[in-house]
Amino acid sequence: MAFRRRPDVRGVPVSLEPPYRLAPDATAAALASRHRDLGAGEETNETVTVAGRIMLRREMGKLVFATLRDSSGGIQLFAGAKWTADFEAFGRLSLGDWIAATGEVVRTRTGELSVKVREWVQLAEARRSFGDKFRGISDVDTRYRQRYADLWANEESRRALLLRSRIISWTRRWLEDQGFVEVETPIFHPMPGGAAARPFVTHHNALDTDLYLRIAPELYLKRLVVGGFERVFEIARVFRNEGLSPRHNPEFTMLELYQAYADYTDMMDLVERLVAGAAEEFLGTTEVTYGGRELSLGAPWRRATMTELIEEHAGSKVDLNTPAEELRQVAQSAGVRVEPGWGPGKLLLEIFEKTTEASLWGPVHVMDYPKEVSPLARDHRSRPGYVERFESIVAGRELCNAFSELIDPDEQRARFEDQARAKASGDEEAMAMDEDYVRALEYGLPPTGGIGVGVDRLVMLLSDSDAIRDVIAFPTLRPEIFTSDT
RNA sequence: GCGCCUCUAGCUCAACGGCAGAGCAACGGACUCUUAAUCCGCAGGUUCUGGGUUCGAAUCCCAGGGGGCGCACCA
């Protein structure tokens, strides 16, 4: 794409060299609130320095009005030949230029709060245009690739990223207030584990060994619980080598936390309080709309078992005791491509995902997954063949995955062995035996509840975004090919 | 990976087989209270790329590239 290189500001440089530092002493928002009562046509003696980008400009002969925007909002600059230094040059500023302006706070006769510019300096030139001054940039590719331009041009983009920052910060405080300790665990893993996903592989030269970018921090966080951190959490960037979609980015952020002495029902309470609390904090209500559809995030959320939900939505009464042949038939008639190695647990999960999950709007905790598909969760206390695991569906999507953690080292070893067998027979996402993790469990992991929450999805939910890319500053894209005219 | 859609001026979009256009931005000018200022003027193109059909292609066809959406996979 070609760009406009500004033809030297009509031969006269607006300023020779931007300053190295400056001290703006007012923001647009602060001025607006401080001078709310200033009447039209009134002037103050208060001299301020504001800084930001020129967004709009209206030339009126010997007067120039410009709209300056800083991170707090916008304010008008009011320049006039009679009182503004370098007035001619002021009128030649481009939309998008950064400037600092000093002058008195006034309200114009037509009622616009303004800084009456005495002195000003150009801080940076915008050689490229920010697009249509009214419609901004809407080309999706340009928006994500040139996020710096998108963020200036589109209020919605800014708003989503700001909300992301605030949600993460609020979550951190919220957890710390409850005694959780934030930790950092390795991103390089000698073997991928803690989730079913294909990893990215890299290589360490000095150790001459392959390392995997983590697909989940889970196993390290539980090692920390073994080590005595009774309540830990990590806001972890994780990496999964899978397809891109409006809801999937290869790197995404997961909040994982582990709480000793808790079980999965405690995790249900916790996620309800987290999501409802964040909604209350940032939207002022737990009654939200997502994609035009109503959603009530207030606790408590519905709790139902996977088999109950299948019966409700698919009309099939199936569970782990259903004869394998019948399960296979139900799965096939639901459109699942059944593979030979699948046991009843896998079939049940597939039936659920195909027939039921998409029609759930939520919020609902889908409880009690088959043990066969949950290698890290503890056996259900009363339902043989199931584990104490739940996923919460909110706005039709999986928001979190949690369980009463498996704490028995022998059972964990057996589960890993099953996984290793699945991997050997071609399941690329199956886990491998993690000897060190089993060893950690042999030192004793107390009963523990754990949960992983998709942070990007939480932000999407509260910002009413339908694309994960909207809540990630720099989403993964195919690398751009640069040519001479880009 | 497969299917469908899409790509025209810096930006947002028209033209849909018959002279490539508009608004905004840019550039020159007028204007002492504008608010997407207004007005006058001027300039701006490998219509994503390559090939084909046609008297004639931005438009139809084929191949490639970028992007979007859906499916698959997943959170």
Side-chain angles (χ1 to χ4, degrees):
Chain A
M1 165 195 331
F3 69 93
R4 172 182 61 90
R5 190 174 183 99
R6 202 157 61 142
D8 191 34
V9 202
R10 283 169 245 181
V12 184
V14 170
S15 66
L16 295 173
E17 177 79 36
Y20 281 83
R21 68 186 299 272
L22 70 148
D25 54 17
T27 64
L31 291 177
S33 76
R34 199 186 308 159
H35 296 286
R36 195 176 299 119
D37 298 329
L38 191 65
E42 288 183 352
E43 306 206 345
T44 70
N45 291 324
E46 180 186 349
T47 293
V48 296
T49 297
V50 291
R53 272 194 209 269
I54 303 284
M55 301 306 290
L56 297 168
R57 197 188 54 221
R58 298 171 287 280
E59 282 189 76
M60 279 286 306
K62 297 284 193 288
L63 299 180
V64 174
F65 301 91
T67 302
L68 182 86
R69 198 170 79 210
D70 63 21
S71 61
S72 77
I75 187 158
Q76 178 166 273
L77 301 182
F78 182 23
K82 288 238 176 79
W83 64 81
T84 301
D86 300 315
F87 176 76
E88 288 287 304
F90 188 87
R92 292 196 296 265
L93 288 166
S94 280
L95 300 190
D97 284 354
W98 291 87
I99 76 160
T102 302
E104 305 96 301
V105 182
V106 303
R107 195 176 288 280
T108 58
R109 292 213 282 271
T110 49
E112 188 73 24
L113 189 70
S114 309
V115 172
K116 190 171 176 182
V117 179
R118 301 283 178 184
E119 303 285 334
W120 61 279
V121 60
Q122 187 189 36
L123 304 174
E125 174 191 19
R127 290 186 185 177
R128 293 174 186 252
S129 150
F130 281 90
D132 190 285
K133 71 183 180 187
F134 185 55
R135 308 172 100 157
I137 300 170
S138 61
D139 181 76
V140 179
D141 190 44
T142 307
R143 284 188 45 227
Y144 295 134
R145 286 196 192 279
Q146 302 186 36
R147 208 52 191 268
Y148 30 81
D150 173 47
L151 289 169
W152 265 103
N154 300 311
E155 165 76 24
E156 283 301 293
S157 297
R158 255 189 334 275
R159 208 178 57 83
L161 292 188
L162 188 59
L163 181 66
R164 180 192 181 100
S165 169
R166 290 183 173 153
I167 287 173
I168 289 173
S169 156
W170 177 87
T171 300
R172 187 172 267 130
R173 275 197 312 280
W174 187 79
L175 289 171
E176 285 174 344
D177 286 347
Q178 295 172 70
F180 284 90
V181 173
E182 181 171 16
V183 295
E184 292 183 283
T185 63
I187 290 173
F188 292 139
H189 286 188
M191 66 173 62
R198 286 160 67 179
F200 287 93
V201 192
T202 187
H203 188 81
H204 189 278
N205 290 337
L207 294 174
D208 189 24
T209 188
D210 282 343
L211 293 170
Y212 300 87
L213 301 189
R214 66 181 171 194
I215 56 175
E218 171 153 356
L219 300 181
Y220 283 95
L221 290 171
K222 283 189 277 190
R223 283 173 170 98
L224 289 173
V225 180
V226 171
F229 287 86
E230 292 174 4
R231 294 184 174 202
V232 289
F233 75 99
E234 180 167 13
I235 295 170
R237 190 77 64 88
V238 299
F239 308 87
R240 300 189 182 178
N241 205 340
E242 285 152 2
L244 292 83
S245 90
R247 283 160 290 283
H248 299 87
N249 198 60
E251 52 179 307
F252 63 101
T253 302
M254 205 150 69
L255 164 67
E256 278 205 13
L257 69 87
Y258 294 85
Q259 179 179 345
Y261 322 128
D263 70 1
Y264 76 149
T265 66
D266 293 305
M267 295 299 107
M268 292 179 214
D269 294 338
L270 186 142
V271 71
E272 288 170 9
R273 287 188 292 118
L274 172 73
V275 174
E280 196 69 59
E281 174 76 15
F282 297 106
L283 306 178
T285 175
T286 54
E287 303 303 309
V288 307
T289 34
Y290 185 80
R293 205 171 150 187
E294 313 241 314
L295 186 64
S296 181
L297 297 174
W301 297 353
R302 184 181 175 204
R303 301 180 183 192
T305 64
M306 179 183 286
T307 48
E308 284 167 356
L309 289 166
I310 292 174
E311 189 178 347
E312 240 173 64
H313 286 84
S316 326
K317 197 164 168 59
V318 288
D319 60 28
L320 292 178
N321 295 318
T322 307
E325 195 43 47
E326 192 183 328
L327 277 178
R328 249 190 293 278
Q329 268 170 16
V330 173
Q332 260 156 359
S333 59
V336 176
R337 290 205 313 268
V338 177
E339 289 179 31
W342 292 1
K346 176 71 172 168
L347 287 165
L348 197 62
L349 177 66
E350 292 286 333
I351 291 167
F352 169 73
E353 287 180 348
K354 207 72 173 186
T355 64
T356 306
E357 194 171 52
S359 53
L360 295 175
W361 180 248
V364 55
H365 299 298
V366 181
M367 299 167 61
D368 300 353
Y369 278 61
K371 178 172 170 171
E372 182 185 336
V373 295
S374 312
L376 301 168
R378 187 169 174 180
D379 283 334
H380 196 282
R381 63 194 80 182
S382 61
R383 299 182 76 203
Y386 295 91
V387 292
E388 296 199 351
R389 170 182 174 190
F390 73 92
E391 293 190 359
S392 308
I393 305 292
V394 183
R397 292 186 196 132
E398 210 177 309
L399 181 72
C400 65
N401 183 19
F403 15 99
S404 300
E405 301 297 333
L406 175 55
I407 61 173
D408 181 306
D410 297 330
E411 173 68 12
Q412 183 66 75
R413 176 179 295 282
R415 302 267 191 100
F416 276 144
E417 281 164 354
D418 286 345
Q419 286 287 306
R421 269 191 293 278
K423 200 177 192 71
S425 59
D427 183 351
E428 287 190 77
E429 294 177 351
M431 292 179 203
M433 169 65 69
D434 188 333
E435 290 287 355
D436 177 72
Y437 179 67
V438 173
R439 180 167 62 191
L441 293 186
E442 286 170 353
Y443 280 93
L445 175 67
T448 296
I451 187 168
V453 181
V455 170
D456 313 270
R457 290 196 170 171
L458 179 60
V459 178
M460 286 167 71
L461 181 67
L462 298 184
S463 62
D464 196 11
S465 302
D466 60 357
I468 195 169
R469 287 173 172 176
D470 289 328
V471 300
I472 294 177
F474 300 100
T476 304
L477 301 170
R478 186 181 298 278
E480 190 173 0
I481 311 258
F482 281 85
T483 54
S484 57
D485 63 272
T486 49

